[in-house]
Amino acid sequence: MKLAHINLVARDAEALAAFYVDVLRCEHLREPRALSGERVSRGNGIANSQIYSIWLKFPELDRPFLEIHEHKVTYDRDQPRVNESGFAHLSFQLKDISGILSQIIQADGAQIGEITDLGTEEKPLLIAYARDPEGNILELEQT
């Protein structure tokens, strides 16, 4: 068994996909698609399901990919917290944590907490938490 993809449900799939492409360097894996009909509804258990689906490839990684869905009917929830049970965050390893944090903020995301070194003097490990424009939590790691 292997992890195939990670799904985020978005209020605006195009805008959220643009954030992941522009800031975190993801690439489109295929053309966006509209998903609907009886088979889709039977599969996800939502009557009259209508979904706009975008697939993005993470940098330097073919699988798992990021699947962004915009449903015709979506229910909002509070912004997730770092210590909330369930799905917590997407983690990215990168070379310039400060630069990416600045780009996240400029792209209507937000920083959570401070950049912190969890490594050692010999082997630093900088981490920071942030939110994408829809509030999903991101962990950034710079080694």
Side-chain angles (χ1 to χ4, degrees):
M1 181 185 308
K2 60 183 172 182
L3 181 61
H5 69 268
I6 298 159
N7 176 265
L8 294 177
V9 174
R11 290 175 208 79
D12 183 339
E14 289 285 345
L16 191 59
F19 169 84
Y20 281 91
V21 168
D22 296 342
V23 176
L24 296 171
R25 310 295 182 252
C26 290
E27 299 173 10
H28 285 270
L29 194 57
R30 64 159 170 78
E31 290 295 315
R33 293 184 185 163
L35 309 172
S36 63
E38 180 189 349
R39 288 190 308 168
V40 173
S41 292
R42 265 195 340 250
N44 67 19
I46 300 172
N48 302 313
S49 185
Q50 295 179 27
I51 305 167
Y52 182 64
S53 177
I54 300 172
W55 288 6
L56 300 177
K57 175 186 165 311
F58 292 110
E60 301 178 35
L61 186 66
D62 290 328
R63 293 286 189 271
F65 62 87
L66 181 61
E67 175 184 60
I68 299 175
H69 278 177
E70 181 180 329
H71 292 256
K72 184 172 184 179
V73 176
T74 304
Y75 297 95
D76 279 335
R77 64 177 175 198
D78 291 334
Q79 283 199 338
R81 293 178 296 257
V82 173
N83 64 343
E84 190 172 79
S85 63
F87 176 78
H89 61 261
L90 296 174
S91 181
F92 293 88
Q93 294 178 337
L94 42 92
K95 294 180 186 334
D96 179 14
I97 201 167
S98 296
I100 294 294
L101 269 174
S102 293
Q103 290 179 37
I104 288 170
I105 293 164
Q106 289 172 4
D108 293 329
Q111 184 173 344
I112 302 171
E114 300 175 13
I115 297 174
T116 305
D117 190 346
L118 296 180
T120 64
E121 213 173 291
E122 300 79 35
K123 191 171 181 179
L125 171 61
L126 300 179
I127 65 112
Y129 286 88
R131 293 187 188 279
D132 71 19
E134 292 213 1
N136 299 298
I137 298 173
L138 308 172
E139 179 184 77
L140 309 176
E141 299 179 359
Q142 177 182 316
T143 56

